[in-house]
């Protein structure tokens, strides 16, 4: 788990430090990521993480499970909705097909668990929106959703 935490922490900052408010980024400490993963693996709620490893090094990961319900989104969803929580590829290995491979493996697993739709929340300011649109994600809401002040995100869905 420490390797996953460290990779997530580094890639998160590489991705977001230039696009999100600096006070928000400063709060994203390694301890916070460590707490996230400890909680995640203890939950036992059917969520899972898949990790891409080469030469004993974590190069990417994806995590997913049942869709989190966020009241301000005001969406009509059912238990058949899954969510991709996180997808990160090491900066030196992006654009090599790993993100798509992890998504495909994740969708297969979600389908086998009985989900029919998967959603993903993406900070609107980043590049990842283009990636999700490119691989077939459909906009779930027309306007970005403001979950925290100044942090709009876009919600995509995929039929599994
Ligand atoms: C976004 C991310 C997961 C994509 O993974 P990746 O391994 O770099 O992407 P892939 O090489 O698998 O690309 C798959 C396809 O999407 C396209 N693509 C990748 N990034 C793209 C982008 N930013 N804009 C448009 N298309 C993109 C590729 O050209 C490829 O197209 P093809 O299948 O037609 O050849 C990865 O770049 C990443 O980890 N970024 C930083 C973290 C992040 O933003 N995570 C998402 C937060 S939810």
């Amino acid at each position: 788990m420490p390797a996953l935490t460290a990779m997530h922490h580094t890639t998160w900052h590489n991705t977001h430090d230039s696009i999100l408010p600096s006070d928000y980024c400063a709060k994203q400490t390694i301890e916070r990521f460590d707490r996230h993963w400890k909680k995640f693996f203890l939950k036992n709620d059917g969520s899972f993480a898949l990790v891409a490893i080469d030469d004993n090094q974590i190069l990417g990961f994806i995590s997913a499970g049942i869709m989190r319900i966020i009241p301000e989104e005001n969406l009509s969803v059912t238990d058949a909705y899954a969510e991709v929580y996180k997808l990160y590829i090491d900066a030196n290995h992006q654009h090599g097909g790993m993100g798509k491979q992890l998504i495909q493996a994740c969708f297969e697993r979600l389908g086998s668990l009985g989900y029919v739709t998967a959603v993903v929340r993406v900070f609107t300011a980043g590049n990842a929106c283009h990636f999700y649109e490119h691989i077939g994600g459909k906009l779930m809401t027309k306007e970005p959703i403001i979950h925290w002040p100044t942090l709009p995100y876009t919600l995509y869905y995929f039929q599994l």
Side-chain angles (χ1 to χ4, degrees), residues 11 15 87-89 93-101 120-122 127-128 130-132 134-135:
T11 319
T15 307
L87 170 61
Y88 286 91
I89 308 299
H93 294 83
Q94 291 173 8
H95 309 296
M98 207 182 296
K100 197 168 161 182
Q101 267 184 283
V120 58
R121 297 181 168 83
V122 191
N127 271 326
H130 303 300
F131 166 74
Y132 286 112
H134 186 82
I135 63 167

Side-chain angles (χ1 to χ4, degrees), residues 132-144:
Y132 286 112
E133 282 163 22
H134 186 82
I135 63 167
K138 306 269 184 282
L139 276 178
M140 198 145 170
T141 58
K142 277 194 188 139
E143 296 299 322

Side-chain angles (χ1 to χ4, degrees), residues 28-62:
Q28 309 309 313
T29 60
I30 190 101
E31 292 76 20
R32 194 170 180 146
F33 285 79
D34 186 51
R35 282 198 298 277
H36 165 80
W37 286 111
K38 280 188 178 136
K39 210 167 137 191
F40 181 83
F41 287 118
L42 283 173
K43 259 194 306 196
N44 201 20
D45 63 351
S47 50
F48 60 88
L50 304 176
V51 177
I53 296 178
D54 188 34
D55 205 12
N56 274 333
Q57 225 193 321
I58 296 182
L59 301 183
F61 72 89
I62 190 164

Side-chain angles (χ1 to χ4, degrees), residues 48 50 62-64 83-84 101-111 160:
F48 60 88
L50 304 176
I62 190 164
S63 64
E83 177 173 350
V84 173
Q101 267 184 283
L102 279 172
I103 276 272
Q104 283 168 345
C106 176
F107 285 176
E108 270 175 40
R109 170 81 74 92
L110 290 170
L160 299 175

